[in-house]
Amino acid sequence: AGIPDGNYRLRLDATDQCGRAATPQARDVVIDNSAPIAVITSPPSCFYMEGQVEIRGTAADANLDGWALYYTGGDVHGWVVINSSPTPVINGLLGRWNTVGLRPCAYTLRLVVTDRSVLDCNGALRNQAEYLVSVNLGSCDGYDADHDGDVDLFDFRFFEDAFTGPR
């Protein structure tokens, strides 16, 4: 089943074939098999926005190495960093995304959180978690008939009433 997460002290005692003992060695280690927490709580998926956008959520771990917030979409190919930090954020501001000058289009926000644990004795492999949310840049005025900031079935009702007449 494995060893539970926690702080441990390993001690090595060795004796060769002739009975000579080596000086005991001790090392402190941290067992961390828990994935970090990565969540974007705002903006919500499929939200229409423009200008300066506050991105909120959680990026945390008991042994946090760091986190990074990215975007891609529109004319961008690959991930562009919005913000990054080695400090945890819990239900707070992850970054402000300046969308001025970006083409109105669908975009994806990506939060990647990494901890300090090393997997399989390979320093390049770490516990990671990521969270993705798709959003839309630009105005949805042509489709948001009830002007509540999103396009949903209530907007279809306005269209239906305009097309067929009130019920």
Side-chain angles (χ1 to χ4, degrees):
I3 298 171
D5 289 359
N7 298 324
Y8 294 89
R9 175 165 279 198
L10 300 179
R11 180 185 160 134
L12 175 65
D13 293 312
T15 305
D16 68 14
Q17 294 175 352
C18 297
R20 292 180 294 232
T23 305
Q25 300 289 317
R27 297 278 189 256
D28 293 328
V29 295
V30 176
I31 304 293
D32 179 8
N33 294 306
S34 301
I37 299 169
V39 178
I40 296 173
T41 56
S42 177
S45 186
C46 298
F47 192 71
Y48 281 83
M49 61 196 164
E50 54 193 349
Q52 291 285 336
V53 177
E54 283 194 354
I55 301 167
R56 304 184 78 73
T58 297
D61 187 77
N63 297 297
L64 182 69
D65 187 45
W67 58 268
L69 178 64
Y70 305 90
Y71 79 90
T72 191
D75 298 322
V76 175
H77 302 288
W79 295 104
V80 177
V81 176
I82 297 170
N83 195 18
S84 64
S85 176
T87 305
V89 173
I90 299 174
N91 296 323
L93 181 65
L94 295 166
R96 287 185 177 86
W97 181 27
N98 183 1
T99 67
V100 174
L102 294 177
R103 184 165 65 88
C105 194
Y107 289 79
T108 299
L109 299 173
R110 177 182 182 209
L111 176 62
V112 178
V113 183
T114 307
D115 71 14
R116 290 189 298 261
S117 66
V118 175
L119 303 177
D120 296 330
C121 299
N122 181 343
L125 298 176
R126 306 288 175 130
N127 274 337
Q128 259 189 355
E130 68 178 64
Y131 192 93
L132 301 168
V133 63
S134 294
V135 296
N136 298 294
L137 290 187
S139 173
C140 61
D141 289 341
Y143 306 102
D144 184 17
D146 62 358
H147 304 290
D148 65 351
D150 65 354
V151 177
D152 54 22
L153 288 175
F154 294 112
D155 299 301
F156 180 73
R157 178 187 276 161
F158 280 95
F159 168 77
E160 182 181 38
D161 289 346
F163 185 73
T164 63
R167 297 177 206 188

